Amino acid sequence: MSTKPQDQAADEVNTSRRSALTGGAGLAAIAAAAMLPLAASEAQAAPAAKPMRKTASTITTKDGVDIYYKDWGSGQPIVFSHGWPLNSDSWESQMFHLANNGFRVIAHDRRGHGRSSQPWDGNDMDHYADDLAAVIEALDLKNAILVGFSTGGGEVARYVGRHGTKRVAKLALVSAVPPLMLKTADNPGGLPIEVFDGIRAGSVKDRSQLYLDIAGGPFYGFNRPGAKASQGLINSWWMQGMMGGHKNTYDSIKAFSETDFRADLKKFDKPTLVIHGDDDQIVPIDAAGRASAALVKGAKLIVYPGAPHGLTDTHKDKVNADLLAFAKA
């Protein structure tokens, strides 16, 4: 306990305050005080601030799943469906380009992926297609161009199969999984079930490492001789994958590999563009891009020589140009 007289203690406090005022903190305080009248007059002269407005970024499906979406630009709508195990961020290069060129671009995170809900059940192509329909209907999109990458291509195909094309103007399949990835008696060009069993086993053992291995290897072709890997792309792929639910991304392996889209493709009755790389190690072009183009009447196939599965990043300038030309045609 201090034994100093009260007057002496008060004098020391005042002296300390005077010292503070002559230091940097004190000068800052004086400067701030001097600005108060100016700030007050500016505030009075400024127009009244507009009230805050909440902008919706999710829709809720009939089975209670929240689906996150982004909606940029204005003009004819282009709707993007992403690949496994990614989310709508994987389309950012195409969305940025097309929104800057007069189109309204919309992309959602598939159920169980990204910022959408992670339901235990319903992680299948029928639900994916219905969720896409829910987004399109909630935003009342008409004359839309649907673009699906990889698993998203299956989602788009199943959407047409279940909901038709009354709201659709054009369709694009990019490195897409249709008609059927799995090797069967009537689909001998598909991949054996052991390939997908291996992905499932890797997901259970160490999902994080599996995603690093896929992104750092065959997805972008970084395992090819002389390839220069982008750590940024690898990190982005891994991050998007880990945002998805474990059960959801696990179930989705069956959805993208075993769903037969041949009947859905035969219902395509709008101009269709198919883009595929001929060095796609994930979804081989003969069993996918070329086979889909053969099933869709009048489809235009563009083959990217030497391009890997993830060509929306590795060949994004060409993809952007081709999609823009297709949209404007």
Side-chain angles (χ1 to χ4, degrees), residues 121-173:
D121 298 311
N123 305 296
D124 55 69
M125 279 294 167
D126 286 353
H127 281 88
Y128 295 165
D130 291 350
D131 292 347
L132 174 58
V135 173
I136 290 171
E137 290 162 14
L139 299 179
D140 194 22
L141 303 179
K142 299 172 184 176
N143 199 37
I145 300 169
L146 306 189
V147 184
F149 170 81
S150 195
T151 299
E155 179 178 286
V156 166
R158 184 50 52 93
Y159 169 87
V160 172
R162 289 173 68 83
H163 299 276
T165 57
K166 62 183 180 294
R167 290 179 177 268
V168 178
K170 299 176 183 179
L171 299 146
L173 302 176

Side-chain angles (χ1 to χ4, degrees), residues 125-269:
M125 279 294 167
D126 286 353
H127 281 88
Y128 295 165
D130 291 350
D131 292 347
L132 174 58
V135 173
I136 290 171
E137 290 162 14
L139 299 179
D140 194 22
L141 303 179
K142 299 172 184 176
N143 199 37
I145 300 169
L146 306 189
V147 184
F149 170 81
S150 195
T151 299
E155 179 178 286
V156 166
R158 184 50 52 93
Y159 169 87
V160 172
R162 289 173 68 83
H163 299 276
T165 57
K166 62 183 180 294
R167 290 179 177 268
V168 178
K170 299 176 183 179
L171 299 146
L173 302 176
V174 182
S175 302
V177 298
L180 172 61
M181 284 197 71
L182 183 67
K183 182 178 181 178
T184 62
D186 65 347
N187 187 49
L191 298 172
I193 189 67
E194 288 78 14
V195 171
F196 307 108
D197 287 342
I199 298 173
R200 278 185 280 265
S203 183
V204 171
K205 180 180 179 181
D206 189 343
R207 185 165 71 112
S208 181
Q209 187 60 52
L210 172 70
Y211 292 170
L212 288 173
D213 291 343
I214 292 174
F219 192 90
Y220 294 115
F222 292 155
N223 58 338
R224 292 307 196 201
K228 184 178 179 181
S230 164
Q231 192 61 48
L233 281 181
I234 295 169
N235 292 350
S236 177
W237 204 98
W238 172 88
M239 178 183 69
Q240 290 180 54
M242 294 306 294
M243 287 173 68
H246 187 9
K247 172 68 158 54
N248 311 99
T249 52
Y250 181 91
D251 287 355
S252 191
I253 298 166
K254 180 180 179 68
F256 73 66
S257 64
E258 298 182 36
T259 304
D260 189 340
F261 300 102
R262 287 176 287 192
D264 302 304
L265 291 173
K266 291 176 182 178
K267 294 181 180 179
F268 278 37
D269 57 0

Side-chain angles (χ1 to χ4, degrees), residues 27-98:
L27 291 174
I30 292 170
M35 292 294 290
L36 284 175
L38 179 60
S41 65
E42 288 179 347
Q44 291 172 358
K50 294 181 179 180
M52 290 183 64
R53 181 172 65 89
K54 183 180 184 297
T55 301
S57 60
T58 61
I59 62 106
T60 302
T61 66
K62 293 178 180 178
D63 59 341
V65 177
D66 290 334
I67 302 294
Y68 168 88
Y69 69 91
K70 57 182 70 177
D71 186 350
W72 300 348
S74 60
Q76 183 180 7
I78 303 179
V79 184
F80 294 87
S81 292
H82 64 79
W84 173 94
L86 308 174
N87 60 49
S88 58
D89 293 346
S90 62
W91 279 116
E92 64 183 14
S93 294
Q94 288 69 46
M95 293 178 69
F96 183 78
H97 181 72
L98 291 164

